[in-house]
Amino acid sequence: MGLVYSTNPNVKIGEDIPEVETLAPGSQKLIVAIDRSGRAGKQVTLVKGFVGRDSDLSELGKRLKTRLGVGGSAKDGLIIIQGDWRDKTVAFLKELGYTLAKRGN
């Protein structure tokens, strides 16, 4: 269920939240950026903007991590990859059909 407390009067406890359908790779607008904040100065590559099921996000994250040979995680619509892999990540995403993927910063 996952709901602990809500001030919204329209929320019904026990009501399932519908899962979002995964968009086709060609219509996903992914942004690949780097982040250092809150990570003791270590760099991570972030893939933002994924719209779809958590299982599809995890699968894409797994493929990226395997291709790059690094660790990371995928949750809440965000893929985190250890290190600065922006260029290779964008190139691999474009190979997979994510034509709107671009480098952020």
PDB file of all heavy atoms in Angstrom, residues 9-39:
ATOM      1  N   PRO A   9      -8.319  15.138   1.233  1.00  0.00           N
ATOM      2  CA  PRO A   9      -9.589  14.480   1.543  1.00  0.00           C
ATOM      3  C   PRO A   9     -10.070  13.525   0.448  1.00  0.00           C
ATOM      4  O   PRO A   9     -10.935  12.697   0.686  1.00  0.00           O
ATOM      5  CB  PRO A   9     -10.567  15.645   1.703  1.00  0.00           C
ATOM      6  CG  PRO A   9      -9.965  16.757   0.941  1.00  0.00           C
ATOM      7  CD  PRO A   9      -8.482  16.571   1.008  1.00  0.00           C
ATOM      8  N   ASN A  10      -9.501  13.620  -0.752  1.00  0.00           N
ATOM      9  CA  ASN A  10      -9.915  12.760  -1.858  1.00  0.00           C
ATOM     10  C   ASN A  10      -9.199  11.413  -1.885  1.00  0.00           C
ATOM     11  O   ASN A  10      -9.546  10.551  -2.674  1.00  0.00           O
ATOM     12  CB  ASN A  10      -9.687  13.466  -3.193  1.00  0.00           C
ATOM     13  CG  ASN A  10     -10.523  14.720  -3.304  1.00  0.00           C
ATOM     14  OD1 ASN A  10     -11.629  14.777  -2.779  1.00  0.00           O
ATOM     15  ND2 ASN A  10      -9.989  15.725  -3.968  1.00  0.00           N
ATOM     16  N   VAL A  11      -8.199  11.229  -1.039  1.00  0.00           N
ATOM     17  CA  VAL A  11      -7.451   9.980  -1.017  1.00  0.00           C
ATOM     18  C   VAL A  11      -8.251   8.924  -0.270  1.00  0.00           C
ATOM     19  O   VAL A  11      -8.747   9.153   0.822  1.00  0.00           O
ATOM     20  CB  VAL A  11      -6.072  10.183  -0.348  1.00  0.00           C
ATOM     21  CG1 VAL A  11      -5.372   8.865  -0.135  1.00  0.00           C
ATOM     22  CG2 VAL A  11      -5.224  11.103  -1.183  1.00  0.00           C
ATOM     23  N   LYS A  12      -8.354   7.784  -0.911  1.00  0.00           N
ATOM     24  CA  LYS A  12      -9.038   6.659  -0.271  1.00  0.00           C
ATOM     25  C   LYS A  12      -7.991   5.607   0.066  1.00  0.00           C
ATOM     26  O   LYS A  12      -7.287   5.122  -0.820  1.00  0.00           O
ATOM     27  CB  LYS A  12     -10.095   6.093  -1.199  1.00  0.00           C
ATOM     28  CG  LYS A  12     -11.234   7.064  -1.441  1.00  0.00           C
ATOM     29  CD  LYS A  12     -12.260   6.455  -2.371  1.00  0.00           C
ATOM     30  CE  LYS A  12     -13.426   7.372  -2.583  1.00  0.00           C
ATOM     31  NZ  LYS A  12     -13.144   8.569  -3.325  1.00  0.00           N
ATOM     32  N   ILE A  13      -7.888   5.254   1.320  1.00  0.00           N
ATOM     33  CA  ILE A  13      -6.908   4.271   1.760  1.00  0.00           C
ATOM     34  C   ILE A  13      -7.301   2.917   1.178  1.00  0.00           C
ATOM     35  O   ILE A  13      -8.460   2.528   1.188  1.00  0.00           O
ATOM     36  CB  ILE A  13      -6.831   4.232   3.288  1.00  0.00           C
ATOM     37  CG1 ILE A  13      -6.386   5.598   3.759  1.00  0.00           C
ATOM     38  CG2 ILE A  13      -5.931   3.114   3.757  1.00  0.00           C
ATOM     39  CD1 ILE A  13      -5.882   5.726   5.114  1.00  0.00           C
ATOM     40  N   GLY A  14      -6.317   2.224   0.673  1.00  0.00           N
ATOM     41  CA  GLY A  14      -6.554   0.934   0.063  1.00  0.00           C
ATOM     42  C   GLY A  14      -6.741   1.027  -1.440  1.00  0.00           C
ATOM     43  O   GLY A  14      -6.813   0.012  -2.127  1.00  0.00           O
ATOM     44  N   GLU A  15      -6.831   2.221  -1.973  1.00  0.00           N
ATOM     45  CA  GLU A  15      -6.997   2.429  -3.410  1.00  0.00           C
ATOM     46  C   GLU A  15      -5.636   2.298  -4.080  1.00  0.00           C
ATOM     47  O   GLU A  15      -4.671   2.933  -3.680  1.00  0.00           O
ATOM     48  CB  GLU A  15      -7.565   3.831  -3.648  1.00  0.00           C
ATOM     49  CG  GLU A  15      -7.856   4.152  -5.078  1.00  0.00           C
ATOM     50  CD  GLU A  15      -8.434   5.549  -5.197  1.00  0.00           C
ATOM     51  OE1 GLU A  15      -9.590   5.750  -4.789  1.00  0.00           O
ATOM     52  OE2 GLU A  15      -7.707   6.438  -5.673  1.00  0.00           O
ATOM     53  N   ASP A  16      -5.549   1.456  -5.087  1.00  0.00           N
ATOM     54  CA  ASP A  16      -4.290   1.267  -5.789  1.00  0.00           C
ATOM     55  C   ASP A  16      -4.016   2.444  -6.716  1.00  0.00           C
ATOM     56  O   ASP A  16      -4.912   2.944  -7.388  1.00  0.00           O
ATOM     57  CB  ASP A  16      -4.320  -0.016  -6.630  1.00  0.00           C
ATOM     58  CG  ASP A  16      -4.279  -1.254  -5.754  1.00  0.00           C
ATOM     59  OD1 ASP A  16      -3.728  -1.177  -4.659  1.00  0.00           O
ATOM     60  OD2 ASP A  16      -4.796  -2.294  -6.199  1.00  0.00           O
ATOM     61  N   ILE A  17      -2.766   2.852  -6.751  1.00  0.00           N
ATOM     62  CA  ILE A  17      -2.341   3.918  -7.642  1.00  0.00           C
ATOM     63  C   ILE A  17      -1.973   3.272  -8.980  1.00  0.00           C
ATOM     64  O   ILE A  17      -1.152   2.355  -9.014  1.00  0.00           O
ATOM     65  CB  ILE A  17      -1.136   4.683  -7.054  1.00  0.00           C
ATOM     66  CG1 ILE A  17      -1.528   5.305  -5.723  1.00  0.00           C
ATOM     67  CG2 ILE A  17      -0.631   5.734  -8.032  1.00  0.00           C
ATOM     68  CD1 ILE A  17      -0.375   5.878  -4.947  1.00  0.00           C
ATOM     69  N   PRO A  18      -2.571   3.705 -10.082  1.00  0.00           N
ATOM     70  CA  PRO A  18      -2.258   3.079 -11.367  1.00  0.00           C
ATOM     71  C   PRO A  18      -0.815   3.354 -11.772  1.00  0.00           C
ATOM     72  O   PRO A  18      -0.302   4.462 -11.594  1.00  0.00           O
ATOM     73  CB  PRO A  18      -3.235   3.727 -12.344  1.00  0.00           C
ATOM     74  CG  PRO A  18      -3.647   4.991 -11.692  1.00  0.00           C
ATOM     75  CD  PRO A  18      -3.530   4.780 -10.211  1.00  0.00           C
ATOM     76  N   GLU A  19      -0.172   2.322 -12.304  1.00  0.00           N
ATOM     77  CA  GLU A  19       1.209   2.465 -12.733  1.00  0.00           C
ATOM     78  C   GLU A  19       1.243   3.115 -14.113  1.00  0.00           C
ATOM     79  O   GLU A  19       0.409   2.839 -14.972  1.00  0.00           O
ATOM     80  CB  GLU A  19       1.878   1.099 -12.774  1.00  0.00           C
ATOM     81  CG  GLU A  19       3.370   1.183 -12.811  1.00  0.00           C
ATOM     82  CD  GLU A  19       4.034  -0.155 -12.518  1.00  0.00           C
ATOM     83  OE1 GLU A  19       3.336  -1.130 -12.254  1.00  0.00           O
ATOM     84  OE2 GLU A  19       5.262  -0.182 -12.555  1.00  0.00           O
ATOM     85  N   VAL A  20       2.205   3.989 -14.322  1.00  0.00           N
ATOM     86  CA  VAL A  20       2.337   4.733 -15.572  1.00  0.00           C
ATOM     87  C   VAL A  20       2.874   3.799 -16.652  1.00  0.00           C
ATOM     88  O   VAL A  20       3.800   3.032 -16.413  1.00  0.00           O
ATOM     89  CB  VAL A  20       3.304   5.922 -15.370  1.00  0.00           C
ATOM     90  CG1 VAL A  20       3.529   6.673 -16.663  1.00  0.00           C
ATOM     91  CG2 VAL A  20       2.790   6.844 -14.302  1.00  0.00           C
ATOM     92  N   GLU A  21       2.300   3.871 -17.835  1.00  0.00           N
ATOM     93  CA  GLU A  21       2.800   3.089 -18.964  1.00  0.00           C
ATOM     94  C   GLU A  21       4.124   3.669 -19.440  1.00  0.00           C
ATOM     95  O   GLU A  21       4.311   4.882 -19.463  1.00  0.00           O
ATOM     96  CB  GLU A  21       1.789   3.111 -20.117  1.00  0.00           C
ATOM     97  CG  GLU A  21       0.561   2.282 -19.860  1.00  0.00           C
ATOM     98  CD  GLU A  21       0.870   0.804 -19.748  1.00  0.00           C
ATOM     99  OE1 GLU A  21       1.684   0.278 -20.542  1.00  0.00           O
ATOM    100  OE2 GLU A  21       0.293   0.171 -18.837  1.00  0.00           O
ATOM    101  N   THR A  22       5.022   2.798 -19.836  1.00  0.00           N
ATOM    102  CA  THR A  22       6.332   3.220 -20.312  1.00  0.00           C
ATOM    103  C   THR A  22       6.212   3.778 -21.721  1.00  0.00           C
ATOM    104  O   THR A  22       5.634   3.144 -22.604  1.00  0.00           O
ATOM    105  CB  THR A  22       7.311   2.042 -20.302  1.00  0.00           C
ATOM    106  OG1 THR A  22       7.365   1.506 -18.971  1.00  0.00           O
ATOM    107  CG2 THR A  22       8.699   2.482 -20.721  1.00  0.00           C
ATOM    108  N   LEU A  23       6.756   4.968 -21.917  1.00  0.00           N
ATOM    109  CA  LEU A  23       6.776   5.574 -23.249  1.00  0.00           C
ATOM    110  C   LEU A  23       7.764   4.832 -24.143  1.00  0.00           C
ATOM    111  O   LEU A  23       8.709   4.210 -23.660  1.00  0.00           O
ATOM    112  CB  LEU A  23       7.199   7.041 -23.156  1.00  0.00           C
ATOM    113  CG  LEU A  23       6.248   8.008 -22.468  1.00  0.00           C
ATOM    114  CD1 LEU A  23       6.876   9.392 -22.398  1.00  0.00           C
ATOM    115  CD2 LEU A  23       4.924   8.080 -23.190  1.00  0.00           C
ATOM    116  N   ALA A  24       7.559   4.922 -25.428  1.00  0.00           N
ATOM    117  CA  ALA A  24       8.481   4.318 -26.388  1.00  0.00           C
ATOM    118  C   ALA A  24       9.840   5.012 -26.286  1.00  0.00           C
ATOM    119  O   ALA A  24       9.913   6.204 -25.962  1.00  0.00           O
ATOM    120  CB  ALA A  24       7.930   4.469 -27.796  1.00  0.00           C
ATOM    121  N   PRO A  25      10.935   4.268 -26.551  1.00  0.00           N
ATOM    122  CA  PRO A  25      12.264   4.885 -26.434  1.00  0.00           C
ATOM    123  C   PRO A  25      12.423   6.159 -27.263  1.00  0.00           C
ATOM    124  O   PRO A  25      13.067   7.110 -26.822  1.00  0.00           O
ATOM    125  CB  PRO A  25      13.200   3.790 -26.936  1.00  0.00           C
ATOM    126  CG  PRO A  25      12.486   2.531 -26.636  1.00  0.00           C
ATOM    127  CD  PRO A  25      11.025   2.848 -26.845  1.00  0.00           C
ATOM    128  N   GLY A  26      11.812   6.219 -28.435  1.00  0.00           N
ATOM    129  CA  GLY A  26      11.957   7.395 -29.295  1.00  0.00           C
ATOM    130  C   GLY A  26      11.284   8.644 -28.764  1.00  0.00           C
ATOM    131  O   GLY A  26      11.589   9.752 -29.187  1.00  0.00           O
ATOM    132  N   SER A  27      10.356   8.491 -27.816  1.00  0.00           N
ATOM    133  CA  SER A  27       9.659   9.657 -27.273  1.00  0.00           C
ATOM    134  C   SER A  27      10.075   9.995 -25.841  1.00  0.00           C
ATOM    135  O   SER A  27       9.525  10.912 -25.244  1.00  0.00           O
ATOM    136  CB  SER A  27       8.148   9.438 -27.334  1.00  0.00           C
ATOM    137  OG  SER A  27       7.789   8.303 -26.588  1.00  0.00           O
ATOM    138  N   GLN A  28      11.048   9.283 -25.298  1.00  0.00           N
ATOM    139  CA  GLN A  28      11.572   9.583 -23.959  1.00  0.00           C
ATOM    140  C   GLN A  28      12.570  10.737 -24.061  1.00  0.00           C
ATOM    141  O   GLN A  28      13.519  10.673 -24.840  1.00  0.00           O
ATOM    142  CB  GLN A  28      12.293   8.353 -23.368  1.00  0.00           C
ATOM    143  CG  GLN A  28      11.406   7.192 -23.105  1.00  0.00           C
ATOM    144  CD  GLN A  28      10.850   7.196 -21.687  1.00  0.00           C
ATOM    145  OE1 GLN A  28      10.978   8.154 -20.941  1.00  0.00           O
ATOM    146  NE2 GLN A  28      10.223   6.108 -21.338  1.00  0.00           N
ATOM    147  N   LYS A  29      12.362  11.772 -23.265  1.00  0.00           N
ATOM    148  CA  LYS A  29      13.287  12.910 -23.246  1.00  0.00           C
ATOM    149  C   LYS A  29      14.207  12.752 -22.041  1.00  0.00           C
ATOM    150  O   LYS A  29      13.913  13.236 -20.945  1.00  0.00           O
ATOM    151  CB  LYS A  29      12.527  14.226 -23.161  1.00  0.00           C
ATOM    152  CG  LYS A  29      11.706  14.507 -24.388  1.00  0.00           C
ATOM    153  CD  LYS A  29      10.967  15.812 -24.270  1.00  0.00           C
ATOM    154  CE  LYS A  29      10.118  16.032 -25.500  1.00  0.00           C
ATOM    155  NZ  LYS A  29       9.336  17.268 -25.424  1.00  0.00           N
ATOM    156  N   LEU A  30      15.323  12.054 -22.246  1.00  0.00           N
ATOM    157  CA  LEU A  30      16.261  11.784 -21.161  1.00  0.00           C
ATOM    158  C   LEU A  30      17.375  12.821 -21.156  1.00  0.00           C
ATOM    159  O   LEU A  30      17.885  13.202 -22.206  1.00  0.00           O
ATOM    160  CB  LEU A  30      16.858  10.381 -21.323  1.00  0.00           C
ATOM    161  CG  LEU A  30      15.865   9.229 -21.335  1.00  0.00           C
ATOM    162  CD1 LEU A  30      16.591   7.911 -21.533  1.00  0.00           C
ATOM    163  CD2 LEU A  30      15.051   9.206 -20.057  1.00  0.00           C
ATOM    164  N   ILE A  31      17.738  13.251 -19.962  1.00  0.00           N
ATOM    165  CA  ILE A  31      18.832  14.196 -19.791  1.00  0.00           C
ATOM    166  C   ILE A  31      19.905  13.525 -18.963  1.00  0.00           C
ATOM    167  O   ILE A  31      19.641  13.009 -17.878  1.00  0.00           O
ATOM    168  CB  ILE A  31      18.346  15.490 -19.112  1.00  0.00           C
ATOM    169  CG1 ILE A  31      17.306  16.162 -19.996  1.00  0.00           C
ATOM    170  CG2 ILE A  31      19.522  16.408 -18.812  1.00  0.00           C
ATOM    171  CD1 ILE A  31      16.684  17.390 -19.410  1.00  0.00           C
ATOM    172  N   VAL A  32      21.127  13.525 -19.486  1.00  0.00           N
ATOM    173  CA  VAL A  32      22.263  12.891 -18.821  1.00  0.00           C
ATOM    174  C   VAL A  32      23.128  14.007 -18.247  1.00  0.00           C
ATOM    175  O   VAL A  32      23.678  14.824 -18.975  1.00  0.00           O
ATOM    176  CB  VAL A  32      23.062  12.021 -19.815  1.00  0.00           C
ATOM    177  CG1 VAL A  32      24.226  11.361 -19.118  1.00  0.00           C
ATOM    178  CG2 VAL A  32      22.151  10.984 -20.460  1.00  0.00           C
ATOM    179  N   ALA A  33      23.242  14.032 -16.918  1.00  0.00           N
ATOM    180  CA  ALA A  33      23.966  15.108 -16.239  1.00  0.00           C
ATOM    181  C   ALA A  33      24.929  14.516 -15.209  1.00  0.00           C
ATOM    182  O   ALA A  33      24.882  13.328 -14.904  1.00  0.00           O
ATOM    183  CB  ALA A  33      22.978  16.044 -15.549  1.00  0.00           C
ATOM    184  N   ILE A  34      25.765  15.355 -14.666  1.00  0.00           N
ATOM    185  CA  ILE A  34      26.695  14.941 -13.618  1.00  0.00           C
ATOM    186  C   ILE A  34      26.318  15.638 -12.317  1.00  0.00           C
ATOM    187  O   ILE A  34      25.793  16.755 -12.340  1.00  0.00           O
ATOM    188  CB  ILE A  34      28.157  15.244 -14.014  1.00  0.00           C
ATOM    189  CG1 ILE A  34      29.113  14.522 -13.095  1.00  0.00           C
ATOM    190  CG2 ILE A  34      28.425  16.725 -14.011  1.00  0.00           C
ATOM    191  CD1 ILE A  34      30.496  14.389 -13.667  1.00  0.00           C
ATOM    192  N   ASP A  35      26.570  14.965 -11.207  1.00  0.00           N
ATOM    193  CA  ASP A  35      26.225  15.530  -9.912  1.00  0.00           C
ATOM    194  C   ASP A  35      27.309  15.176  -8.910  1.00  0.00           C
ATOM    195  O   ASP A  35      27.853  14.075  -8.937  1.00  0.00           O
ATOM    196  CB  ASP A  35      24.870  14.973  -9.455  1.00  0.00           C
ATOM    197  CG  ASP A  35      24.362  15.656  -8.199  1.00  0.00           C
ATOM    198  OD1 ASP A  35      24.651  16.849  -8.007  1.00  0.00           O
ATOM    199  OD2 ASP A  35      23.685  14.976  -7.407  1.00  0.00           O
ATOM    200  N   ARG A  36      27.618  16.115  -8.028  1.00  0.00           N
ATOM    201  CA  ARG A  36      28.606  15.897  -6.969  1.00  0.00           C
ATOM    202  C   ARG A  36      28.040  16.218  -5.590  1.00  0.00           C
ATOM    203  O   ARG A  36      28.649  15.898  -4.588  1.00  0.00           O
ATOM    204  CB  ARG A  36      29.830  16.779  -7.200  1.00  0.00           C
ATOM    205  CG  ARG A  36      30.634  16.430  -8.388  1.00  0.00           C
ATOM    206  CD  ARG A  36      31.831  17.386  -8.528  1.00  0.00           C
ATOM    207  NE  ARG A  36      32.401  17.311  -9.855  1.00  0.00           N
ATOM    208  CZ  ARG A  36      31.993  17.994 -10.906  1.00  0.00           C
ATOM    209  NH1 ARG A  36      30.990  18.820 -10.797  1.00  0.00           N
ATOM    210  NH2 ARG A  36      32.584  17.855 -12.069  1.00  0.00           N
ATOM    211  N   SER A  37      26.897  16.867  -5.538  1.00  0.00           N
ATOM    212  CA  SER A  37      26.379  17.353  -4.258  1.00  0.00           C
ATOM    213  C   SER A  37      25.913  16.214  -3.366  1.00  0.00           C
ATOM    214  O   SER A  37      25.224  15.299  -3.798  1.00  0.00           O
ATOM    215  CB  SER A  37      25.218  18.315  -4.501  1.00  0.00           C
ATOM    216  OG  SER A  37      24.147  17.654  -5.108  1.00  0.00           O
ATOM    217  N   GLY A  38      26.314  16.260  -2.107  1.00  0.00           N
ATOM    218  CA  GLY A  38      25.903  15.276  -1.125  1.00  0.00           C
ATOM    219  C   GLY A  38      26.564  13.924  -1.288  1.00  0.00           C
ATOM    220  O   GLY A  38      26.103  12.938  -0.740  1.00  0.00           O
ATOM    221  N   ARG A  39      27.664  13.886  -2.031  1.00  0.00           N
ATOM    222  CA  ARG A  39      28.330  12.612  -2.283  1.00  0.00           C
ATOM    223  C   ARG A  39      29.814  12.667  -1.947  1.00  0.00           C
ATOM    224  O   ARG A  39      30.615  11.961  -2.549  1.00  0.00           O
ATOM    225  CB  ARG A  39      28.136  12.211  -3.736  1.00  0.00           C
ATOM    226  CG  ARG A  39      26.693  11.907  -4.066  1.00  0.00           C
ATOM    227  CD  ARG A  39      26.508  11.617  -5.524  1.00  0.00           C
ATOM    228  NE  ARG A  39      25.191  11.071  -5.823  1.00  0.00           N
ATOM    229  CZ  ARG A  39      24.093  11.781  -5.933  1.00  0.00           C
ATOM    230  NH1 ARG A  39      24.122  13.067  -5.746  1.00  0.00           N
ATOM    231  NH2 ARG A  39      22.949  11.211  -6.223  1.00  0.00           N
TER     232      ARG A  39
END
